[in-house]
Amino acid sequence: MQPLFISHYVVDFDPFAVRFPEWLGIEGIRWYGLSYLVGFLIGFALFNFYSAKGKSPLSKDDNSSLITWLLFGIIIGGRLGYMLFYDFSRFCQNPATFFYIWKGGMASHGGFIGAVVAMILFARSRKVSFWTIADIVCVSCSPGIFLGRIANFINGELWGKISDVSWAMIFPHSAPSGTPIAEIAARHPSQLYEALGEGALLFAYMQWRYWRGNAPKGQISGEFLVAYGIIRIICEVFREPDVGVSFILGLSRGSFYSVLSAFAGLAIIIYTRYLCKRRLHK
């Protein structure tokens, strides 16, 4: 396909929300970091809202502890997942790159694993059902996903495949440095697709499902994984696979891990409904 020209929007934002003076030795505050901060604050506000409305057995102190556990779990899991799934060779050459969080690089599926570990540890420390905690977290996390994808868009990273649709956009970083804008092909803004799907749409569904109040413990968590997996697989159709990252069974890494997420969610739904039926027959 021939490169498209400047009739398309050029995504060229400053990745820093705030830039500090050079003498401080720190470049500034990135939109990516702010997206995580605001996402956690929204999640914490939702935890307290559910507690106030009687939808959660946790106190405000419990909610503070839970958000702290999740903060460390998601950041550590997301970073480690990125290094293992997408940048393993660089990680092997220099394991210290794991700590270069300010340079970006977080894997959503790694973040999920980190969050699960954090929820298990928190549930044990409070002697609360893991599935109760998981359901609360699943209905609260989509705003954070939404903001993270918006930050990806602002950074001009994780762009989509080349397209001639009218809303396609030009991502300067998708071409070698120094390439004239007029010679860069326009692409799907797949980050926005994921923000709307994994963020806004999934949040609306999870809120509707949670407030219906007729699901056994754990089923909402399973539905979240199924819905997220399906939406992510659809979005992966429009997303350019990461350079140098091999495919698994003909699927991009994102699609493959999303298939696993969907099947895991389905297994959780079957398991929780089975337990519910057993309790009813006792």
Side-chain angles (χ1 to χ4, degrees):
M1 181 180 294
Q2 293 296 318
L4 303 175
F5 296 93
I6 312 283
S7 57
H8 294 273
Y9 182 77
V10 179
V11 181
D12 192 20
F13 298 102
D14 187 340
F16 289 89
V18 179
R19 285 189 177 273
F20 296 146
E22 292 185 8
W23 57 267
L24 280 178
I26 303 175
E27 289 184 276
I29 300 174
R30 291 178 177 268
W31 289 107
Y32 197 74
L34 279 179
S35 71
Y36 269 81
L37 174 61
V38 177
F40 278 110
L41 289 175
I42 293 174
F44 180 56
L46 288 171
F47 291 169
N48 287 332
F49 177 71
Y50 299 141
S51 294
K53 296 296 182 180
K55 292 291 292 183
S56 167
L58 303 181
S59 66
K60 287 188 176 181
D61 288 341
D62 290 334
N63 291 332
S64 297
S65 297
L66 176 57
I67 204 69
T68 302
W69 281 91
L70 290 171
L71 175 64
F72 283 100
I74 291 174
I75 291 178
I76 295 173
R79 184 61 180 166
L80 186 59
Y82 178 82
M83 301 305 295
L84 295 178
F85 300 154
Y86 298 101
D87 204 7
F88 186 65
S89 60
R90 189 162 71 100
F91 180 61
C92 289
Q93 293 171 1
N94 183 13
T97 56
F98 170 83
F99 299 100
Y100 299 171
I101 296 176
W102 60 89
K103 293 187 177 181
M106 297 284 283
S108 57
H109 295 92
F112 282 160
I113 295 172
V116 169
V117 173
M119 287 186 289
I120 291 173
L121 296 175
F122 175 83
R124 287 181 176 178
S125 71
R126 294 300 191 277
K127 294 181 172 54
V128 179
S129 167
F130 165 78
W131 294 116
T132 296
I133 303 302
D135 288 346
I136 294 170
V137 172
C138 285
V139 298
S140 307
C141 66
S142 294
I145 297 175
F146 174 84
L147 293 171
R149 293 308 183 190
I150 294 298
N152 292 147
F153 177 74
I154 292 174
N155 288 345
E157 60 190 3
L158 307 182
W159 48 75
K161 295 178 180 177
I162 294 174
S163 174
D164 57 2
V165 296
S166 60
W167 60 87
M169 300 180 186
I170 295 174
F171 296 91
H173 298 304
S174 67
S177 179
T179 303
I181 294 296
E183 296 180 9
I184 300 177
R187 297 173 177 271
H188 282 287
S190 57
Q191 313 95 324
L192 299 183
Y193 301 168
E194 292 185 83
L196 292 174
E198 302 165 13
L201 180 61
L202 188 53
F203 179 70
Y205 172 76
M206 295 309 297
Q207 294 304 305
W208 171 77
R209 193 70 182 88
Y210 193 55
W211 288 97
R212 287 184 66 190
N214 62 347
K217 291 179 182 179
Q219 179 166 328
I220 286 178
S221 300
E223 290 182 15
F224 173 85
L225 289 176
V226 171
Y228 177 87
I230 292 173
I231 293 172
R232 179 68 184 271
I233 290 168
I234 294 172
C235 290
E236 284 285 327
V237 172
F238 303 97
R239 178 172 163 178
E240 185 74 26
D242 295 317
V243 177
V245 176
S246 60
F247 284 67
I248 302 176
L249 301 178
L251 299 173
S252 68
R253 295 264 176 132
S255 294
F256 179 77
Y257 298 136
S258 296
V259 169
L260 294 183
S261 296
F263 275 111
L266 184 60
I268 291 171
I269 292 172
I270 294 172
Y271 173 72
T272 55
R273 294 185 73 85
Y274 168 74
L275 288 182
C276 184
K277 287 181 178 179
R278 283 193 62 183
R279 294 191 191 102
L280 289 174
H281 286 87
K282 282 187 177 180

